[in-house]
Amino acid sequence: AFVTSISGTYNASENSEVGSPCFDLSAIEGEAWIALDVNWYSEGGYDGAVLQSSIDGGNTWLNVGEYGDPYNWYNEGSLYGSPGGQDEGWGGGYYSGTASNGWKQAKHLIDASLYQADVRFRVAYGADPSVQSEGFAFDNVIIVDYKAADLGADVLSLCGAGSTTLDPNVNFYGTIEWSVEFRRIRVV
């Protein structure tokens, strides 16, 4: 895991980042998701972290997702510490009561504009000069390409008690936990 501090508090006026290697996402044929485990306890409204992407070698960075998106995505919309030069991200706990209270998996659909040959990600952390606490940690970053499968029939039958049929053209979103993963990401 990467953490801002293991046995203490993060720095006042912290401005740091952890960058990924270059990924080739140009072969994605379905929907791609990025997921990571996150854990935070910081000064609510002031200090926090954000996940950003770049398609120009790291010259410019854009947020992956935005405040209020589902699946444990950013819970703060106005961080004074400006992680990654902007004001959204994961933060809170000290004063605000919005800490993660342990590890949570956050996941987000990767925008199709990132299905390119040179994509980089970074987690940026920013803090103001006043109150510090434990900070932010992340681990287990994965990128998954969900490719549509041709089921070859008009309906899909489920096995076992209480089985039913489903239209295979229905897209499932939400908290369904079963899926097929195609991990075809190449590091260049």
Side-chain angles (χ1 to χ4, degrees), residues 56-105:
D56 63 3
N59 290 317
T60 58
W61 295 93
L62 298 173
N63 288 4
V64 174
E66 58 188 44
Y67 168 69
D69 283 349
Y71 310 115
N72 296 316
W73 214 247
Y74 310 138
N75 67 319
E76 293 273 356
S78 182
L79 292 168
Y80 183 75
S82 300
Q86 56 78 62
D87 60 358
E88 295 182 327
W90 294 285
Y94 196 89
Y95 293 135
S96 68
T98 56
S100 63
N101 296 316
W103 289 97
K104 296 184 180 300
Q105 184 185 63

Side-chain angles (χ1 to χ4, degrees), residues 22-34:
C22 171
F23 292 99
D24 181 348
L25 304 181
S26 63
I28 291 175
E29 297 175 14
E31 289 184 337
W33 289 76
I34 188 164

Side-chain angles (χ1 to χ4, degrees), residues 84-166:
Q86 56 78 62
D87 60 358
E88 295 182 327
W90 294 285
Y94 196 89
Y95 293 135
S96 68
T98 56
S100 63
N101 296 316
W103 289 97
K104 296 184 180 300
Q105 184 185 63
K107 58 186 176 180
H108 204 281
L109 184 66
I110 297 175
D111 190 271
S113 66
L114 296 178
Y115 297 176
Q116 299 189 31
D118 181 2
V119 180
R120 297 164 198 263
F121 295 96
R122 75 175 181 183
V123 173
Y125 191 81
D128 74 341
S130 62
V131 177
Q132 295 82 47
S133 59
E134 295 173 17
F136 183 80
F138 72 97
D139 199 1
N140 301 317
V141 180
I142 60 170
I143 297 173
V144 181
D145 176 3
Y146 291 98
K147 182 179 177 185
D150 180 6
L151 301 176
D154 291 335
V155 293
L156 172 66
S157 295
L158 301 179
C159 304
S163 66
T164 187
T165 58
L166 299 173

Side-chain angles (χ1 to χ4, degrees), residues 33-55:
W33 289 76
I34 188 164
L36 64 161
D37 294 336
V38 292
N39 192 345
W40 67 87
Y41 187 84
S42 60
E43 184 183 15
Y46 294 90
D47 308 339
V50 65
L51 177 69
Q52 297 179 315
S53 64
S54 176
I55 56 173

